[in-house]
Amino acid sequence: LSGCTSDSRDPAVQVSDPAGKDWRLTLNGTSEKVLSLEDLRRFPVVTGHCYAVSTTGIRFGPYTCTGVDLNDLVADAGGMNPKDQVWISAPDGYLWVFDADQLAGNGFVTFNANLREIPSPRLRVILMYEQDAKPVSYDDGGPARIAIVSDEPGVITEGSAWVKWVNRIDIHRK
Ligand SMILES: Nc1nc2c(c(=O)[nH]1)N[C@H]1C(S)=C(S)[C@@H](COP(=O)(O)O)O[C@H]1N2
Ligand SMILES: [Mo]
């Protein structure tokens, strides 16, 4: 099971520090930790091609996306079982849920640049902190946004999973 819900979504929510110095990520698994952007940068670095499409058909990208594999964050929080879910949330109330299969890179719908569905290559879900080698801007969902990356260029994924302004990750036990 995966997908999106939105409660208490408040378009007026803004971060006071778009540069991200005061940004913190709450990582809640068997233990709860609070990570800074500096902490995030200490995890193994993943870079890949990334490209998304919104539900209205607007493409954003292609970009080079750099960040931390969600599997590494999950491992740092004590790991997950095959039926557990990873809940990604943001201060505007947006929530997206990934299952273990998706964290392994499976189960995503992928398109080519003409928005024709193509078989999914190996994908990785990352918490991105750089887009095209620059910090992710607030408008682009920074300082930390979910991105789905592939080794080859031109693979488009659905933008709804690309949670902007991520500030909380919960491992939800099933
Ligand atoms: N925090 C947050 N992230 C979000 C959303 C949102 O409303 N809030 N919308 C999602 C949806 S449905 C899409 S299509 C993309 C849109 O990305 P864009 O605003 O960069 O075009 O962001 C996704 N990430
Ligand atoms: Mo969307």
Side-chain angles (χ1 to χ4, degrees):
L1 182 90
S2 59
C4 165
T5 69
S6 181
D7 48 2
S8 69
R9 201 195 287 200
D10 180 1
V13 173
Q14 293 279 315
V15 291
S16 55
D17 171 36
K21 292 189 299 298
D22 295 339
W23 175 87
R24 293 291 181 273
L25 173 71
T26 301
L27 180 57
N28 181 38
T30 49
S31 59
E32 179 166 300
K33 330 188 147 186
V34 178
L35 304 179
S36 67
L37 216 44
E38 288 273 282
D39 296 331
L40 210 58
R41 287 177 173 279
R42 281 189 205 107
F43 284 84
V45 180
V46 175
T47 293
H49 296 278
C50 61
Y51 200 174
V53 62
S54 74
T55 32
T56 50
I58 296 169
R59 274 159 272 189
F60 43 105
Y63 301 113
T64 298
C65 292
T66 301
V68 180
D69 192 315
L70 278 198
N71 289 295
D72 289 336
L73 292 174
V74 166
D76 197 55
M80 70 189 283
N81 296 310
K83 289 187 171 166
D84 294 347
Q85 298 172 339
V86 181
W87 291 24
I88 312 287
S89 39
D92 64 342
Y94 197 77
L95 168 68
W96 192 264
V97 177
F98 293 105
D99 59 27
D101 198 39
Q102 290 176 317
L103 283 212
N106 307 311
F108 291 102
V109 179
T110 50
F111 306 92
N112 67 17
N114 300 317
L115 298 183
R116 292 212 175 258
E117 196 172 335
I118 54 169
S120 178
R122 192 178 84 104
L123 298 171
R124 297 174 88 171
V125 185
I126 67 169
L127 186 60
M128 158 175 72
Y129 50 75
E130 279 178 13
Q131 190 172 283
D132 288 343
K134 290 186 286 285
V136 187
S137 71
Y138 178 77
D139 282 351
D140 281 332
R145 181 181 195 170
I146 294 296
I148 300 172
V149 305
S150 53
D151 290 337
E152 64 264 53
V155 178
I156 297 184
T157 56
E158 293 175 294
S160 44
W162 290 48
V163 184
K164 296 183 273 192
W165 315 301
V166 173
N167 72 342
R168 189 170 178 97
I169 297 178
D170 294 281
I171 296 158
H172 205 82
R173 308 273 164 210
K174 284 284 167 176

